[in-house]
Amino acid sequence: MTTSDENPDFEALLHYLKQNCGCDLTGNKRDSLMRRFQRRMQQLGIENYISYLQYLKADPQECTPLLNTVLINFSGFFRDRDAWDYLANQIIPQIITTKQPQERIRVWSAGCASGEEVYTLVMLLAEILGIEQYLQRVQMFATDVDKDALKQAWQGSYKNNEVAGIPSQLLSKYFEQTEQGYVFCSQLRRSIIFGRHNLAVDAPMSKIDLLVCRNVLIYFQRETQASIFVRFHFVLTDKGFLFLGNSESLTNQKQIFIPVSLKHRIFTKSKDQKLGLNEHLLLLPQTCDKKAVNPLDNYIHIWQKTFEISPLAQIVVDRSGSLLLVNERAFDLFRLQNNDIGAPVRDLEIGQVVNPLTLLRQLNHDRRPFSLKNIKWVTDNGTTYLDIHITPISYSSGKLLGTNLTFIDATQYMYLKGEVERLNSTLARVTQELQLTREMLHSKL
Ligand SMILES: C[S@@+](CC[C@H](N)C(=O)[O-])C[C@H]1O[C@@H](n2cnc3c(N)ncnc32)[C@H](O)[C@@H]1O
């Protein structure tokens, strides 16, 4: 089987779907994707991807049966029963105890297919909280990229054989029997927020306490999986849980998740690993429009500008004590030139204010930010007092890269402090004189 990058005809087909059918499958694994496209092509008697692209262009309705074949929607109630039992007995009670009674519990079934997974979640939570409390406290989201599957999920109606996995007392409590089979309790069903969402492309949600994404990631390529895990890390609260499918594993190089139960594929966020800039860039929604400004460029531009235009003077010094970055306010304050970048700070005017090598020695020692207060700086223009905040900049390994120095002009404060001290001593003198005068008057009477 040929792989993605070797088959431009197949890539052209994916590109067409992305631009014209609103379905971006470019992050999906190619071999299984190709097999499923071929299944649909066989049904139509079409032999190659070029002819199939022409067929799609001639008949835009073809998107629907194609996507139904490609996006496998297989699901089931209480699929992998052991894992759901573990969730109900060990995880959900933990989530509930970390919440205040008035706080919402936010749960997301991502890749919910025809709804069996989200209704399983609703039943478990409603059993633990009681239906009334469930309705007051739980916000349930259910999303999928496949419109038809979502419609089925929203209807919540299942044939007799499809509800076989539901314990009988739950079936009678949460479902109504119909001529065709069973339909999920409408009051609880209406409380679920259903929506179309592509995990590889769309902006992630936030503050989720329990994210259930089972048997979805297996369809994605490794890089796409890695970026989805970064999104999941962002999505979850610090004490939130991620519940994956039985055959899924975490492929992140950085341990941003740690297992709570490896057997049941339940994870929580690692306390030691925070998302860095590279990971934050992966959180941005990926645009479909090639002509649009690259959102990553935009994001980096905003980071740079935020530093440059800050009203506080800031510089960055590297580990050898040389000037690395200067913002606009610092250029003005320390009368710096572009060609000062790279020079040792001690050779510049700013070297009269700070000795970066001493600061770096201190940072190397305890790696914590610290401040210097009211540093006096005398120039032709007069005397300035500066508060200096020194913040280490480190690699994720902890090794020191350099330091950021932020300067706050404390001259006005020092002037006012001097004024207050002068007024206080005048007040003390006048009070003393008044006291003396009073005593003299007293002795004359
Ligand atoms: C095998 S079903 C899993 C259903 C359910 N989570 C379960 O485990 O029973 C996979 C689902 O993932 C959805 N899916 C595939 N690619 C997706 C994407 N990029 N974003 C969101 N959902 C996606 C498919 O439409 C399908 O409904």
Side-chain angles (χ1 to χ4, degrees), residues 3 16 42 51 99 112 119-120 181 210 246 305 367 374 376 390 392 397 400 403 439:
T3 63
Y16 178 82
Q42 267 166 15
S51 312
K99 294 272 165 184
C112 66
Y119 294 122
T120 304
L210 174 60
N246 260 3
K305 273 283 158 205
R367 304 285 157 100
N374 306 322
K376 192 173 177 184
I390 298 111
S397 65
L400 192 67
T403 173
E439 281 167 14

Side-chain angles (χ1 to χ4, degrees), residues 11-25:
E11 294 306 304
L13 201 45
L14 293 187
H15 183 72
Y16 178 82
L17 279 176
K18 180 173 165 180
Q19 298 291 335
N20 301 283
C21 305
C23 186
D24 186 354
L25 297 171

